[in-house]
């Protein structure tokens, strides 16, 4: 194996399945359901039935179908086989139509009896598809995809669908489970290859998602749209295609107006239908509860979802539930309560629950309006106002570069210290020079103001929006991981794409976004560099898209690395790096294929601005400034130049248990030492080396090899 690292900046991929399967704008795919309608004909009727029953399941099924279609196109599968895979993926969860709402919409986990009912999904799906005239190949794919990995008993289509289905499930946030980043999800697939998933197909899928592939996405869009006939129908998101029916257009405008009105409120607004199903959860409710609307819509309401407790901190009894009380009396209710979030934050609140009636005076649901009544909220609002005045960009009104330079290191260090999740979005306007050249600099200024306003409008109140320079902007996302930040960036991208700019003669502009999450060993500089690399990838792969990089924080206790005694290095080209003070040697294992692991190493080198001293086969030697940190240092704690020697090797690990199966892994053997000691204190040098090693471990999504695992590694001859 040869690691060619002369070009340190290389590509990875978009993050969750939505970004991964992004279709270029020129394909005119503003409505994802129209793809299903045009491509899948009669089967889309079953899909609409599933959407009416449980929209989140229908959305998942559509993402899996489009994902399988892209993969099949990349593999150049025959059209008939690809057709069967697309239909099977779209309808693999159709059996949930027969699952009771009390189970599908349950806000918490399922008990044993409920899980048994949920497992009937596959058999009911088979019956529904057979009754609808589906052929045996579709039935087999749906049935086999529920089985574990067995290459002799399952078709390639079923094994492909297993992988895409699992990937989408892992990268989609649920109400009581965070979504995994794309890198973590790939690592999980690789870790279970050979047991739950086909190893060769997992490696293939990892390669597919390792790089944006606009040519395949365009081919997929053209394939799905080629059979489209008839009017568009409303989609899953906020988008809607042009429709000829005036009444439908007016209904949509009315719907969008009320949604924008609710989202602009400073108070949390939640709308529940007569059964207690959540139909709207505005942005203020997201901020107050710490839960995203997408994870809660169409679930049954419960006070625990938002953390409602009485003024003394005691849980509310069922009779004291605001929804139940208003549903019973059908009169308005006002209460003083508290919210205790899942992360421990507490707020005193005023709650107003108001019944909603139809034109026929029939009870139709309940609106909950929740206001943060804590003194801290008012104080923070005043402080933020004063800070904005002192650090505002004069043209766009968002924070300026100086404010970002002050905020970014604090942002990174606070999240690393707490172990919480924080992300950054870097974005810019596509082809901005053309706007200045064709419409003049005044039009360019108006485009920048419009872009900044859309970012600020789409961001959450707690987010920090700043102009980085020129047409580039940065958004620091509080309490937000990679998948959540990617969804937020996608909302921004859609808003920019659909907003006319008067100075551009009413035409719209597009924008590109790079997203990454704070991970172990990060500094403000490495975080910004990774976001910038993701932005460059977005622009290089076609623009008008969102690309995510980074695996997020790794789960490990701090300060676990210990220095080893200094050892004599061999003479030769490493001789002038000899240090008698400190050498730290570590080994890491990652489940991703060797080629993907090398791409992650490239990203580590690029973002840390490391100097490549040598690259020979599987051995690379680099120099890194140990403290490219814009935060404060202690007196005497100066930056040290660290040399890393990294060996990359494909190995096999014997899995525990009687089966003694072999799992393919990639091993990194790392040796770190200071080139020249500028600080006599070993503890300071060790801390700086540990920071680099933590960052390395996060970049390559690896676990440190302990003594027990070392005994099971089979080195290649």
């Amino acid at each position: 194996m040869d690691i060619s690292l002369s070009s340190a900046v290389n590509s990875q991929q978009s993050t969750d399945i939505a970004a991964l399967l992004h279709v270029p704008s020129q394909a005119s795919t503003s409505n994802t359901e129209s793809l299903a309608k045009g491509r899948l004909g009669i089967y889309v009727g079953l899909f609409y039935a599933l959407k009416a029953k449980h929209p989140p399941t229908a959305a998942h099924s559509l993402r899996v179908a489009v994902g399988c279609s892209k993969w099949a196109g990349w593999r150049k599968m025959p059209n008939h086989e690809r057709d069967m895979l697309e239909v099977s993926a779209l309808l693999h969860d159709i059996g949930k139509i027969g699952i009771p709402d009390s189970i599908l919409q349950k806000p918490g986990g399922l008990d044993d009896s409920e899980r048994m009912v949920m497992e009937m999904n596959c058999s009911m799906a088979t019956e529904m598809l057979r009754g609808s005239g589906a052929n045996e190949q579709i039935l087999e794919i749906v049935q086999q995809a529920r089985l574990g990995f067995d290459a002799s008993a399952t078709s390639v289509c079923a094994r492909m669908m297993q992988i895409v289905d699992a990937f989408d499930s892992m990268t989609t946030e649920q109400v009581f489970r965070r979504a995994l980043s794309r890198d973590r999800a790939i690592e999980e697939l690789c870790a279970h290859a050979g047991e739950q998933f086909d190893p060769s197909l997992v490696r293939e899928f990892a390669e597919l998602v390792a790089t944006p592939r606009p040519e395949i996405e365009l081919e997929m869009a053209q394939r799905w749209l080629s059979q489209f006939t008839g009017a568009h129908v409303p989609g899953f998101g906020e988008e809607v295609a042009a429709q000829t029916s005036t009444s439908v257009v007016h209904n949509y405008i009315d719907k969008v107006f009320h949604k924008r009105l609710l989202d602009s409120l400073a108070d949390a607004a939640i709308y529940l239908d007569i059964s207690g199903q959540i139909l709207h959860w505005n942005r203020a409710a997201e901020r107050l509860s710490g839960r995203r609307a997408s994870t809660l819509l169409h679930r049954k309401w419960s006070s625990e979802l938002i953390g409602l407790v009485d003024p003394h901190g005691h849980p509310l009894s069922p009779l004291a539930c605001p929804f139940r009380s208003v549903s019973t009396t059908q009169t308005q209710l006002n209460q003083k309560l508290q919210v205790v979030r899942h992360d421990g934050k507490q707020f005193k609140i005023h709650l107003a629950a108001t019944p909603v009636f139809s034109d026929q005076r029939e009870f139709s649901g309940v609106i909950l309006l929740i206001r943060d009544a804590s003194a801290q909220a008012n104080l923070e609002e005043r402080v933020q106002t004063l800070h904005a005045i002192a650090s505002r960009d004069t043209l766009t009104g968002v924070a300026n570069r100086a404010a970002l330079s002050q905020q970014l290191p604090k942002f990174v260090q606070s999240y690393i210290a707490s172990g919480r999740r924080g992300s950054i979005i870097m974005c810019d306007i596509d082809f901005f020079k053309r706007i200045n050249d064709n419409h003049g600099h005044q039009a360019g200024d108006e485009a920048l103001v419009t872009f900044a306003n859309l970012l600020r409008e789409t961001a959450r109140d707690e987010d920090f929006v700043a102009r980085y320079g020129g047409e580039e902007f940065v958004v620091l996302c509080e309490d937000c991981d990679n998948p959540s930040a990617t969804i937020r960036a996608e909302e921004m991208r859609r808003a920019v794409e659909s907003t006319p700019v008067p100075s551009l003669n009413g035409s719209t502009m597009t924008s590109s976004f790079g997203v990454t999450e704070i991970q172990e060993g990060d500094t403000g500089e490495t975080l910004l560099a990774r976001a910038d690399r993701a932005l460059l990838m977005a622009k290089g792969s076609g623009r008008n898209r969102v690309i995510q990089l980074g695996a997020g924080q790794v789960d490990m206790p701090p300060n676990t690395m210990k220095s080893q005694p200094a050892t004599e290095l061999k003479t030769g080209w490493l001789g002038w790096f000899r240090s008698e003070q400190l050498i730290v040697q570590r080994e890491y294992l990652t489940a991703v294929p060797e080629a993907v692991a090398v791409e992650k190493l490239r990203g580590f080198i690029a973002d840390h601005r490391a100097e490549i001293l040598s690259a020979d086969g599987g051995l690379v030697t680099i120099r890194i400034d140990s403290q490219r940190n814009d935060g404060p240092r202690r007196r005497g704690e100066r930056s040290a130049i660290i040399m890393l020697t990294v060996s990359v090797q494909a190995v096999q690990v014997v899995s525990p248990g009687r089966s003694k199966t072999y799992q393919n892994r990639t091993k990194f053997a790392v040796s770190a030492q200071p080139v020249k000691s500028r600080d006599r204190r070993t503890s300071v040098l060790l801390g700086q080396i540990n920071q680099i090693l933590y960052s390395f471990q996060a970049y390559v999504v690896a676990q440190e090899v302990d003594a027990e695992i070392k005994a099971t590694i089979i080195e290649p001859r």
Side-chain angles (χ1 to χ4, degrees):
M1 183 211 66
D2 182 25
I3 306 178
S4 179
L5 291 169
S6 58
S7 175
V9 178
N10 210 312
S11 56
Q12 290 193 12
Q13 74 153 67
S14 48
T15 53
D16 58 24
I17 197 75
L20 165 67
L21 303 175
H22 170 73
V23 182
S25 58
Q26 59 266 35
S28 299
T29 56
S30 62
N31 191 319
T32 51
E33 283 188 31
S34 67
L35 296 176
K37 184 175 181 180
R39 182 78 195 113
L40 302 168
I42 189 172
Y43 292 113
V44 84
L46 289 174
F47 172 74
Y48 283 147
L50 176 61
K51 185 195 171 190
K53 171 71 174 182
H54 195 235
T57 298
H60 161 74
S61 298
L62 183 56
R63 292 193 300 269
V64 174
V66 177
C68 288
S69 179
K70 177 180 178 179
W71 192 359
W74 189 55
R75 301 184 96 236
K76 301 188 183 305
M77 292 175 64
N79 280 338
H80 173 73
E81 191 174 7
R82 187 175 179 182
D83 285 340
M84 296 302 99
L85 176 58
E86 290 168 347
V87 173
S88 303
L90 187 74
L91 302 178
H92 74 282
D93 269 343
I94 194 69
K96 289 187 178 178
I97 291 177
I99 303 297
D101 288 345
S102 59
I103 296 178
L104 275 182
Q105 300 175 7
K106 185 176 180 181
L110 303 180
D111 59 32
D112 291 341
S113 61
E114 291 168 335
R115 278 192 291 270
M116 290 179 62
V117 174
M118 188 65 79
E119 289 173 0
M120 296 171 60
N121 168 32
C122 182
S123 59
M124 285 190 285
T126 304
E127 292 178 10
M128 291 179 184
L129 291 173
R130 182 176 284 113
S132 301
N135 61 34
E136 288 300 318
Q137 186 175 355
I138 291 176
L139 297 176
E140 287 179 1
I141 293 173
V142 172
Q143 290 173 327
Q144 292 173 359
R146 303 291 179 179
L147 306 175
F149 162 60
D150 186 347
S152 62
T154 57
S155 67
V156 171
C157 288
R159 283 176 270 143
M160 290 172 64
M161 194 168 78
Q162 284 177 335
I163 293 170
V164 179
D165 186 15
F167 182 81
D168 182 71
S169 297
M170 287 188 287
T171 54
T172 302
E173 186 173 347
Q174 304 296 331
V175 61
F176 290 115
R177 176 181 63 78
R178 281 187 177 273
L180 296 181
S181 69
R182 181 264 312 170
D183 283 344
R184 293 286 180 203
I186 291 295
E187 198 273 339
E188 281 294 311
L189 290 174
C190 293
H192 293 87
E195 300 172 353
Q196 187 176 350
F197 307 108
D198 185 323
S200 62
L201 288 179
V202 168
R203 288 194 296 271
E204 188 176 294
F205 184 74
E207 292 176 11
L208 169 65
V209 302
T211 305
R213 303 178 188 274
E215 70 287 350
I216 298 175
E217 294 165 349
L218 181 58
E219 182 275 332
M220 178 192 67
Q222 292 171 340
R223 168 183 169 84
W224 280 57
L225 288 171
S226 62
Q227 298 185 19
F228 173 72
T229 57
H232 289 67
V233 291
F236 287 113
E238 300 178 12
E239 304 170 354
V240 70
Q243 302 184 36
T244 57
S245 169
T246 302
S247 61
V248 172
V249 171
H250 283 305
N251 287 339
Y252 174 70
I253 292 173
D254 184 63
K255 176 182 176 182
V256 171
F257 171 77
H258 287 98
K259 184 181 187 305
R260 294 289 295 271
L261 178 64
L262 288 173
D263 279 341
S264 67
L265 293 177
D267 295 341
I270 301 168
Y271 177 55
L272 313 172
D273 68 9
I274 57 175
S275 67
Q277 185 178 178
I278 300 170
L279 299 183
H280 190 80
W281 189 280
N282 75 344
R283 291 182 182 172
E286 289 185 325
R287 182 175 65 253
L288 187 69
S289 65
R291 299 191 187 281
R292 286 220 324 270
S294 59
T295 68
L296 297 169
L297 294 181
H298 308 289
R299 290 186 176 273
K300 287 287 187 181
W301 161 264
S302 72
S303 298
E304 289 79 12
L305 284 178
I306 199 169
L308 283 182
V309 296
D310 69 17
H312 304 290
H314 302 136
L316 295 180
S317 66
L319 293 177
C321 171
F323 170 74
R324 180 170 179 176
S325 176
V326 173
S327 299
T328 302
T329 64
Q330 297 189 8
T331 59
Q332 187 172 4
L333 173 70
N334 289 281
Q335 291 179 301
K336 290 184 178 181
L337 300 171
Q338 291 190 65
V339 166
V340 179
R341 294 188 357 173
H342 57 90
D343 59 4
K345 292 184 178 180
Q346 299 184 19
F347 306 91
K348 293 181 179 179
I349 56 120
H350 292 301
L351 182 143
T354 304
V356 178
F357 298 95
S358 67
D359 293 339
Q360 291 75 33
R361 301 301 299 165
E362 295 178 349
F363 177 65
S364 301
V366 175
I367 291 180
L368 303 179
L369 291 176
I370 304 173
R371 173 171 298 175
D372 185 354
S374 63
Q376 180 183 1
N378 297 328
L379 177 61
E380 288 179 352
E381 184 177 351
R382 291 196 296 269
V383 171
Q384 289 174 359
T385 301
L386 293 173
H387 178 72
I389 294 173
S391 56
R392 182 177 297 150
D393 179 64
T394 55
L395 174 64
T396 62
V398 300
N400 56 27
R401 177 73 173 268
L404 176 65
S405 298
Q406 291 181 346
Q407 184 70 16
L408 183 59
K410 299 176 184 177
F411 178 76
V412 173
Q413 292 304 316
S414 65
Y415 277 91
I416 289 180
S418 65
R420 295 183 296 128
R421 309 286 179 174
S423 297
I424 183 174
I425 299 171
M426 196 168 190
C427 53
D428 70 4
I429 300 172
D430 293 334
F431 302 113
F432 181 70
K433 186 176 184 299
R434 294 183 186 177
I435 295 177
N436 284 328
D437 292 345
N438 297 333
H439 300 275
H441 289 279
Q442 187 173 354
D445 287 348
E446 184 174 332
L448 288 171
V449 172
T450 300
F451 187 56
N453 287 341
L454 290 171
L455 295 180
R456 189 163 44 190
E457 179 182 336
T458 313
R460 303 306 187 256
D461 289 348
E462 64 271 22
D463 293 344
F464 182 87
V465 182
R467 185 180 179 188
Y468 185 68
E471 71 273 24
E472 289 188 331
F473 291 77
V474 169
V475 183
L476 305 183
C477 302
E478 298 275 351
D479 293 316
C480 188
D481 57 12
N482 248 339
S484 301
T486 301
I487 293 173
R488 199 167 299 180
E490 185 62 30
E491 292 173 355
M492 296 172 180
R493 187 197 65 79
R494 289 200 303 265
V496 172
E497 188 180 38
S498 60
T499 301
V501 182
S503 64
L504 305 184
N505 300 324
S507 62
T508 61
M509 53 190 179
T510 62
S511 51
S512 300
F513 293 78
V515 178
T516 193
E517 178 184 345
I518 296 171
Q519 59 190 32
E520 296 292 340
D522 259 337
T523 66
E525 185 170 300
T526 58
L527 182 69
L528 198 62
R530 198 161 59 249
D532 186 45
R533 184 159 55 94
L535 174 60
L536 289 174
M537 290 168 56
K539 298 179 80 67
S541 60
R543 292 182 169 83
N544 193 25
R545 63 187 60 221
V546 179
I547 298 291
Q548 177 211 93
L549 289 178
Q553 302 243 34
V554 294
D555 299 322
M556 68 175 81
N559 301 322
T560 55
M561 298 185 183
K562 304 297 183 182
S563 62
Q564 295 181 353
T567 58
E568 183 71 18
L569 294 176
K570 294 180 180 179
T571 59
W573 61 277
L574 291 178
W576 66 285
F577 289 115
R578 184 179 291 110
S579 169
E580 302 301 332
Q581 282 201 338
L582 179 65
I583 296 178
V584 178
Q585 295 176 326
R586 292 291 177 265
E587 291 185 353
Y588 303 99
L589 278 182
T590 178
V592 301
E594 187 177 8
V596 177
V598 170
E599 290 302 319
K600 297 181 185 301
L601 177 58
R602 293 178 192 271
F604 171 81
I605 293 172
D607 295 344
H608 288 76
R609 300 182 183 179
E611 177 188 356
I612 302 171
L613 301 176
S614 174
D616 181 16
L619 186 68
V620 58
T621 304
I622 58 179
R623 286 166 36 120
I624 300 179
D625 186 339
S626 69
Q627 196 114 1
R628 284 188 176 272
N629 193 333
D630 28 14
R633 301 176 190 157
R634 296 178 181 178
R635 184 178 180 182
E637 185 178 339
R638 291 169 293 179
S639 174
I641 304 300
I642 305 299
M643 183 187 71
L644 288 186
T645 302
V646 183
S647 169
V648 187
Q649 188 178 32
V651 298
Q652 286 188 325
V653 179
V654 181
S655 64
R658 297 182 179 179
S659 61
K660 299 295 183 183
T661 58
Y662 296 92
Q663 298 176 333
N664 294 320
R665 294 289 187 267
T666 302
K667 186 180 77 170
F668 291 93
V670 183
S671 175
Q673 68 177 103
V675 171
K676 180 180 179 182
S677 175
R678 298 183 181 179
D679 194 314
R680 299 283 182 183
R681 292 181 296 175
T682 302
S683 61
V684 173
L685 286 171
L686 180 60
Q688 294 176 345
I689 290 175
N690 281 346
Q691 184 182 35
I692 289 177
L693 292 178
Y694 278 137
S695 183
F696 176 87
Q697 185 174 358
Y699 265 80
V700 300
V701 198
Q703 296 296 322
E704 187 174 347
V705 179
D706 57 26
E708 182 177 349
I709 297 179
K710 282 183 180 179
T712 68
I713 294 178
I714 302 175
E715 305 282 355
R717 294 182 179 178

